[in-house]
Amino acid sequence: MTEWVQATVVECIRWNDALISLRFEAELEPFNAGQFIRVGMDIDSERIGRPYSLVNAPHERPHEIYFNIVPEGPLSPRLAQLQPGDTFWVVPKPNGFLTLDEVPEARHLWLFATGTAIGPFLSILKTAAPWSRFEKIVLGYSVRTRNELSYQETVHELLESHPAQFQFVPFITREPCEDHLCQRIPASIESGALEQKAGLTLTPEFSHVLLCGNSGMLQDALIRLEKRGMQRHRRREPGHVSMEKYH
Ligand code: NAP
Protein backbone atom coordinates (compact mmCIF):
# COMPACT_ATOMS: atom_id res chain seq x y z
CA MET A 1 0.00 0.00 0.00
CA THR A 2 1.24 3.52 -0.77
CA GLU A 3 2.60 5.30 2.26
CA TRP A 4 1.49 8.95 2.55
CA VAL A 5 2.68 11.55 5.03
CA GLN A 6 1.18 14.90 5.86
CA ALA A 7 2.57 18.10 4.37
CA THR A 8 1.87 21.57 5.80
CA VAL A 9 1.72 24.64 3.57
CA VAL A 10 4.20 27.38 4.49
CA GLU A 11 3.61 29.76 1.59
CA CYS A 12 1.62 29.98 -1.62
CA ILE A 13 3.04 32.11 -4.46
CA ARG A 14 0.60 33.17 -7.18
CA TRP A 15 2.62 34.11 -10.27
CA ASN A 16 -0.56 34.81 -12.23
CA ASP A 17 -4.13 33.40 -12.45
CA ALA A 18 -2.91 29.97 -13.46
CA LEU A 19 0.62 29.45 -12.12
CA ILE A 20 1.24 28.60 -8.48
CA SER A 21 4.20 27.63 -6.32
CA LEU A 22 3.45 25.90 -3.05
CA ARG A 23 6.07 25.83 -0.31
CA PHE A 24 5.58 23.21 2.37
CA GLU A 25 7.15 21.26 5.20
CA ALA A 26 7.03 17.45 5.13
CA GLU A 27 9.25 14.57 6.20
CA LEU A 28 10.48 13.46 2.77
CA GLU A 29 13.18 10.88 2.20
CA PRO A 30 16.49 12.25 0.85
CA PHE A 31 16.21 13.13 -2.84
CA ASN A 32 18.38 14.04 -5.80
CA ALA A 33 17.88 17.38 -7.52
CA GLY A 34 15.53 16.82 -10.49
CA GLN A 35 13.32 14.21 -8.82
CA PHE A 36 9.57 14.36 -8.24
CA ILE A 37 7.16 13.33 -5.52
CA ARG A 38 3.52 12.34 -5.51
CA VAL A 39 1.19 14.97 -4.09
CA GLY A 40 -2.37 14.17 -3.04
CA MET A 41 -5.61 15.42 -1.50
CA ASP A 42 -8.73 13.63 -0.35
CA ILE A 43 -11.46 14.55 -2.78
CA ASP A 44 -14.97 13.03 -2.48
CA SER A 45 -13.56 10.35 -0.13
CA GLU A 46 -10.89 9.37 -2.59
CA ARG A 47 -7.20 10.25 -2.44
CA ILE A 48 -6.19 11.83 -5.75
CA GLY A 49 -2.44 12.00 -6.36
CA ARG A 50 -0.28 13.50 -9.10
CA PRO A 51 3.50 13.76 -9.57
CA TYR A 52 5.14 17.14 -9.12
CA SER A 53 8.85 17.95 -9.34
CA LEU A 54 10.61 19.47 -6.37
CA VAL A 55 11.87 22.97 -7.19
CA ASN A 56 13.97 23.29 -4.05
CA ALA A 57 17.48 21.86 -4.01
CA PRO A 58 17.96 18.90 -1.64
CA HIS A 59 19.62 21.14 0.96
CA GLU A 60 16.87 23.79 0.87
CA ARG A 61 13.77 24.00 3.04
CA PRO A 62 10.88 24.41 2.79
CA HIS A 63 10.10 22.03 -0.06
CA GLU A 64 8.48 23.56 -3.13
CA ILE A 65 6.38 22.49 -6.11
CA TYR A 66 5.38 24.57 -9.12
CA PHE A 67 2.24 23.83 -11.12
CA ASN A 68 -0.44 25.26 -13.31
CA ILE A 69 -4.13 25.15 -12.50
CA VAL A 70 -5.88 22.75 -14.86
CA PRO A 71 -9.44 24.13 -14.51
CA GLU A 72 -11.14 20.80 -15.21
CA GLY A 73 -8.58 18.78 -13.22
CA PRO A 74 -9.51 17.28 -9.85
CA LEU A 75 -6.36 18.21 -7.91
CA SER A 76 -4.61 21.40 -9.07
CA PRO A 77 -7.56 23.84 -8.51
CA ARG A 78 -7.84 22.54 -4.94
CA LEU A 79 -4.09 22.63 -4.31
CA ALA A 80 -4.12 26.23 -5.51
CA GLN A 81 -6.63 27.19 -2.81
CA LEU A 82 -4.48 25.98 0.09
CA GLN A 83 -3.35 28.60 2.60
CA PRO A 84 -0.41 28.61 5.05
CA GLY A 85 -1.15 26.09 7.80
CA ASP A 86 -3.39 23.92 5.58
CA THR A 87 -2.34 20.31 5.03
CA PHE A 88 -2.22 17.90 2.11
CA TRP A 89 -0.55 14.53 1.46
CA VAL A 90 2.74 13.51 -0.09
CA VAL A 91 4.40 10.16 -0.75
CA PRO A 92 7.77 10.69 0.99
CA LYS A 93 9.84 8.66 -1.45
CA PRO A 94 11.01 10.82 -4.39
CA ASN A 95 11.37 9.27 -7.84
CA GLY A 96 12.80 9.99 -11.24
CA PHE A 97 15.91 9.83 -13.39
CA LEU A 98 16.18 13.42 -14.60
CA THR A 99 19.18 13.84 -12.32
CA LEU A 100 22.82 14.66 -12.90
CA ASP A 101 24.05 11.27 -11.71
CA GLU A 102 22.34 9.85 -14.82
CA VAL A 103 24.20 12.26 -17.13
CA PRO A 104 27.43 11.01 -18.74
CA GLU A 105 30.57 13.10 -19.04
CA ALA A 106 30.11 16.18 -21.23
CA ARG A 107 31.60 19.62 -21.52
CA HIS A 108 28.35 21.56 -22.01
CA LEU A 109 24.99 20.94 -20.34
CA TRP A 110 21.85 22.16 -22.14
CA LEU A 111 18.57 22.22 -20.18
CA PHE A 112 15.34 22.77 -22.17
CA ALA A 113 12.04 23.25 -20.33
CA THR A 114 8.53 24.31 -21.24
CA GLY A 115 6.21 25.91 -18.69
CA THR A 116 6.18 24.44 -15.20
CA ALA A 117 8.84 21.90 -16.16
CA ILE A 118 11.51 24.45 -15.29
CA GLY A 119 11.13 23.28 -11.67
CA PRO A 120 13.47 20.25 -11.71
CA PHE A 121 16.14 22.25 -13.56
CA LEU A 122 16.09 24.99 -10.93
CA SER A 123 16.55 22.34 -8.25
CA ILE A 124 19.60 21.01 -10.14
CA LEU A 125 21.05 24.49 -10.76
CA LYS A 126 20.77 25.42 -7.08
CA THR A 127 23.19 22.61 -6.19
CA ALA A 128 26.98 22.79 -6.53
CA ALA A 129 27.31 19.71 -8.78
CA PRO A 130 26.57 21.16 -12.24
CA TRP A 131 28.95 24.09 -11.74
CA SER A 132 31.87 21.80 -10.92
CA ARG A 133 31.07 19.32 -13.71
CA PHE A 134 30.30 21.43 -16.79
CA GLU A 135 32.21 24.24 -18.45
CA LYS A 136 29.03 25.86 -19.76
CA ILE A 137 25.36 25.46 -18.86
CA VAL A 138 22.49 26.78 -21.00
CA LEU A 139 18.92 26.95 -19.69
CA GLY A 140 16.26 27.37 -22.42
CA TYR A 141 12.82 28.16 -20.95
CA SER A 142 9.79 28.33 -23.22
CA VAL A 143 6.52 29.95 -22.15
CA ARG A 144 3.55 31.34 -24.04
CA THR A 145 3.47 34.86 -22.63
CA ARG A 146 5.84 37.09 -20.70
CA ASN A 147 3.79 36.82 -17.50
CA GLU A 148 4.39 33.05 -17.47
CA LEU A 149 8.15 33.61 -17.13
CA SER A 150 8.31 32.70 -13.44
CA TYR A 151 11.36 32.38 -11.18
CA GLN A 152 13.27 35.22 -12.84
CA GLU A 153 14.78 36.22 -9.50
CA THR A 154 16.30 32.75 -9.12
CA VAL A 155 17.57 32.88 -12.70
CA HIS A 156 19.19 36.28 -12.08
CA GLU A 157 20.87 35.00 -8.93
CA LEU A 158 22.31 32.10 -10.95
CA LEU A 159 23.48 34.49 -13.67
CA GLU A 160 25.18 36.66 -11.07
CA SER A 161 26.84 33.71 -9.33
CA HIS A 162 28.07 32.09 -12.56
CA PRO A 163 28.48 34.88 -15.13
CA ALA A 164 31.01 33.09 -17.34
CA GLN A 165 29.42 29.66 -17.09
CA PHE A 166 25.66 30.20 -17.32
CA GLN A 167 23.48 31.30 -20.24
CA PHE A 168 19.73 31.84 -19.89
CA VAL A 169 17.68 31.77 -23.10
CA PRO A 170 13.98 32.61 -22.64
CA PHE A 171 11.44 31.79 -25.35
CA ILE A 172 8.09 33.62 -25.57
CA THR A 173 5.94 31.94 -28.17
CA ARG A 174 2.64 33.83 -28.23
CA GLU A 175 3.58 37.46 -27.82
CA PRO A 176 5.76 39.68 -29.93
CA CYS A 177 9.12 40.11 -28.23
CA GLU A 178 12.39 41.71 -29.19
CA ASP A 179 14.69 40.57 -26.44
CA HIS A 180 13.65 36.88 -26.39
CA LEU A 181 13.39 34.09 -28.93
CA CYS A 182 9.85 34.07 -30.35
CA GLN A 183 9.85 30.54 -31.72
CA ARG A 184 9.54 27.10 -30.14
CA ILE A 185 12.62 25.28 -28.82
CA PRO A 186 12.74 22.62 -31.61
CA ALA A 187 12.45 25.29 -34.33
CA SER A 188 15.26 27.26 -32.72
CA ILE A 189 17.49 24.18 -32.74
CA GLU A 190 16.72 23.68 -36.42
CA SER A 191 17.32 27.32 -37.36
CA GLY A 192 20.44 27.73 -35.23
CA ALA A 193 18.83 30.72 -33.42
CA LEU A 194 19.27 29.03 -30.05
CA GLU A 195 22.98 28.44 -30.51
CA GLN A 196 23.43 31.96 -31.79
CA LYS A 197 21.71 33.35 -28.71
CA ALA A 198 23.69 31.07 -26.39
CA GLY A 199 26.98 31.64 -28.18
CA LEU A 200 27.62 27.90 -28.07
CA THR A 201 27.28 24.99 -30.50
CA LEU A 202 25.24 21.86 -29.87
CA THR A 203 27.45 18.91 -30.79
CA PRO A 204 27.48 15.20 -29.95
CA GLU A 205 31.12 15.61 -29.06
CA PHE A 206 30.69 18.16 -26.27
CA SER A 207 27.00 18.49 -25.34
CA HIS A 208 24.48 16.70 -23.19
CA VAL A 209 20.85 17.82 -23.34
CA LEU A 210 18.14 17.34 -20.70
CA LEU A 211 14.54 17.86 -21.87
CA CYS A 212 11.56 18.38 -19.59
CA GLY A 213 8.00 19.48 -20.27
CA ASN A 214 5.42 19.30 -23.03
CA SER A 215 5.59 15.86 -24.66
CA GLY A 216 5.39 17.43 -28.14
CA MET A 217 8.47 19.50 -27.34
CA LEU A 218 10.36 16.42 -26.14
CA GLN A 219 9.51 14.55 -29.32
CA ASP A 220 10.22 17.42 -31.71
CA ALA A 221 13.43 18.50 -29.98
CA LEU A 222 14.74 14.93 -30.04
CA ILE A 223 14.08 14.73 -33.81
CA ARG A 224 16.01 17.98 -34.36
CA LEU A 225 18.88 16.85 -32.14
CA GLU A 226 19.07 13.48 -33.90
CA LYS A 227 19.55 15.36 -37.15
CA ARG A 228 22.66 16.81 -35.47
CA GLY A 229 24.02 13.32 -34.78
CA MET A 230 22.87 13.22 -31.15
CA GLN A 231 21.10 10.20 -29.71
CA ARG A 232 18.76 9.51 -26.83
CA HIS A 233 20.76 8.52 -23.75
CA ARG A 234 20.00 5.23 -22.07
CA ARG A 235 21.92 3.53 -19.26
CA ARG A 236 22.80 0.58 -21.48
CA GLU A 237 23.31 2.71 -24.57
CA PRO A 238 24.98 6.04 -23.74
CA GLY A 239 23.86 9.01 -25.80
CA HIS A 240 23.47 12.78 -25.62
CA VAL A 241 19.80 13.51 -24.85
CA SER A 242 17.99 12.61 -21.61
CA MET A 243 14.31 13.13 -20.89
CA GLU A 244 11.64 11.91 -18.59
CA LYS A 245 8.01 11.38 -19.45
CA TYR A 246 6.07 11.03 -16.26
CA HIS A 247 3.09 13.37 -16.62
P1 NAP B 1 3.37 24.01 -22.04
O1 NAP B 1 2.06 23.55 -22.48
O2 NAP B 1 4.49 23.06 -22.17
O3 NAP B 1 3.62 25.43 -22.80
C1 NAP B 1 4.68 26.21 -22.57
C2 NAP B 1 5.54 26.33 -23.81
O4 NAP B 1 5.66 25.07 -24.48
C3 NAP B 1 4.99 27.32 -24.83
O5 NAP B 1 6.03 28.16 -25.21
C4 NAP B 1 4.55 26.42 -25.97
O6 NAP B 1 4.66 27.01 -27.26
C5 NAP B 1 5.56 25.32 -25.89
N1 NAP B 1 5.14 24.13 -26.61
C6 NAP B 1 3.93 23.54 -26.63
N2 NAP B 1 3.94 22.48 -27.47
C7 NAP B 1 5.16 22.41 -28.00
C8 NAP B 1 5.79 21.55 -28.94
N3 NAP B 1 5.14 20.52 -29.50
N4 NAP B 1 7.07 21.77 -29.27
C9 NAP B 1 7.75 22.81 -28.74
N5 NAP B 1 7.21 23.68 -27.85
C10 NAP B 1 5.93 23.48 -27.47
O7 NAP B 1 3.40 24.46 -20.51
P2 NAP B 1 2.69 23.75 -19.32
O8 NAP B 1 1.23 23.68 -19.59
O9 NAP B 1 3.17 24.42 -18.08
O10 NAP B 1 3.20 22.25 -19.37
C11 NAP B 1 4.43 21.87 -18.86
C12 NAP B 1 4.63 20.39 -19.05
O11 NAP B 1 5.65 19.97 -18.15
C13 NAP B 1 3.40 19.55 -18.74
O12 NAP B 1 3.33 18.52 -19.68
C14 NAP B 1 3.73 19.01 -17.35
O13 NAP B 1 3.09 17.79 -17.14
C15 NAP B 1 5.22 18.85 -17.44
N6 NAP B 1 5.99 18.86 -16.19
C16 NAP B 1 5.53 19.48 -15.09
C17 NAP B 1 6.27 19.44 -13.92
C18 NAP B 1 5.76 20.01 -12.63
O14 NAP B 1 6.33 19.70 -11.59
N7 NAP B 1 4.71 20.78 -12.63
C19 NAP B 1 7.53 18.86 -13.91
C20 NAP B 1 8.00 18.28 -15.09
C21 NAP B 1 7.22 18.27 -16.22
P3 NAP B 1 3.33 27.50 -28.09
O15 NAP B 1 2.89 28.76 -27.42
O16 NAP B 1 3.85 27.68 -29.47
O17 NAP B 1 2.31 26.41 -27.99
Side-chain angles (χ1 to χ4, degrees):
M1 222 174 85
T2 311
E3 182 203 354
W4 293 87
V5 299
Q6 207 168 57
T8 305
V9 176
V10 175
E11 191 182 354
C12 179
I13 301 163
R14 292 172 196 283
W15 301 96
N16 59 35
D17 288 347
L19 289 169
I20 308 285
S21 294
L22 212 52
R23 293 191 172 145
F24 62 95
E25 297 288 0
E27 290 290 327
L28 301 183
E29 291 178 21
F31 68 96
N32 289 326
Q35 288 194 301
F36 61 88
I37 51 160
R38 201 159 182 81
V39 169
M41 287 180 79
D42 294 333
I43 298 162
D44 298 333
S45 16
E46 197 189 340
R47 186 154 302 167
I48 307 290
R50 296 280 183 273
Y52 289 105
S53 295
L54 289 161
V55 183
N56 57 300
H59 63 274
E60 290 182 314
R61 295 292 178 279
H63 296 296
E64 182 167 336
I65 55 172
Y66 176 47
F67 60 94
N68 57 2
I69 301 174
V70 181
E72 66 283 7
L75 184 63
S76 60
R78 288 175 172 86
L79 273 180
Q81 283 170 13
L82 294 177
Q83 300 295 325
D86 289 345
T87 58
F88 60 96
W89 297 103
V90 290
V91 176
K93 187 173 167 31
N95 273 300
F97 300 102
L98 199 76
T99 57
L100 283 191
D101 53 5
E102 297 290 331
V103 173
E105 280 311 302
R107 196 178 280 184
H108 304 147
L109 179 67
W110 298 72
L111 308 170
F112 299 148
T114 62
T116 53
I118 191 168
F121 292 155
L122 294 179
S123 178
I124 290 172
L125 293 172
K126 288 190 283 176
T127 66
W131 309 105
S132 60
R133 270 192 65 182
F134 303 99
E135 273 176 31
K136 299 271 182 195
I137 300 176
V138 180
L139 172 63
Y141 178 23
S142 179
V143 295
R144 288 169 273 240
T145 55
R146 201 172 286 268
N147 78 341
E148 292 180 351
L149 215 48
S150 310
Y151 288 103
Q152 288 310 283
E153 214 174 296
T154 308
V155 168
H156 285 294
E157 281 166 16
L158 291 166
L159 284 166
E160 275 182 11
S161 311
H162 310 279
Q165 225 177 336
F166 184 45
Q167 285 284 338
F168 176 59
V169 183
F171 294 73
I172 297 186
T173 46
R174 298 197 190 180
E175 266 177 6
C177 53
E178 283 162 16
D179 45 344
H180 300 79
L181 289 178
C182 305
Q183 55 193 161
R184 287 178 163 187
I185 289 170
S188 77
I189 296 171
E190 178 103 20
S191 69
L194 169 63
E195 289 157 292
Q196 201 182 0
K197 196 89 176 165
L200 203 63
T201 311
L202 268 164
T203 65
E205 200 183 356
F206 295 130
S207 318
H208 195 91
V209 181
L210 296 187
L211 302 174
C212 194
N214 185 293
S215 55
M217 185 278 279
L218 304 188
Q219 213 171 17
D220 293 350
L222 181 62
I223 291 169
R224 302 314 206 285
L225 293 166
E226 283 172 344
K227 282 191 192 168
R228 300 292 198 88
M230 303 175 90
Q231 284 168 10
R232 182 140 184 210
H233 174 72
R234 291 192 169 82
R235 276 183 177 170
R236 272 174 295 167
E237 216 180 315
H240 323 91
V241 186
S242 304
M243 63 177 84
E244 193 161 59
K245 293 184 185 171
Y246 65 92
H247 281 240

